[in-house]
Amino acid sequence: FPGDVVSLGEAPIVFHASRKNKSTPKVLEANTLISRLEEETYRAMHYERPLSVAALHLGKFSGDNNAIEEMTRGALRRTDVIGWAQQNIMLILLPECTQPEAREVAFAVHKSVTDVAPNARIGIATCPADGYEAVTLISAARASASRPHEQSIVFSKHEDCTLQLGDRSIIVADVAM
């Protein structure tokens, strides 16, 4: 069954449901989404499980967010959760999703929305590499999606935390990093 875990020695194998199954990801209000992400980050850190957060930045999109939700649902698993950070930025929680798996999901999501939002970009942050607090992961994913870049899928980078002022480098740090 999807979600079953089988251990072969020390290597767990998790059977995931098809991304195109009939159950759809939940759409949560912003505060509920952050609470859920806090629970997921605790689980990811405590049980050493993968977790990624993606921010879909739609650019100058002026359409209906419900239409974007419907378009993205086919690219997501039923365990994924979506919500809106603001009118043109959708957040996607990807529990049990490593960075390479998050990239696959991001490509599928991007493909599903490019007809209506051709300038869409997706930023991805992964726990614990990019932080282990909900707000830090959201900020890292949003910053990656918002910065100008040639590629449509952008991973959070630690270079984003370094500012060059003349011959000096200033590191902007968050206690969660």
Side-chain angles (χ1 to χ4, degrees), residues 84-98:
W84 293 92
Q86 60 190 61
Q87 178 65 25
N88 65 338
I89 300 178
M90 175 190 276
L91 297 175
I92 307 168
L93 307 188
L94 303 165
E96 293 295 325
C97 213
T98 62

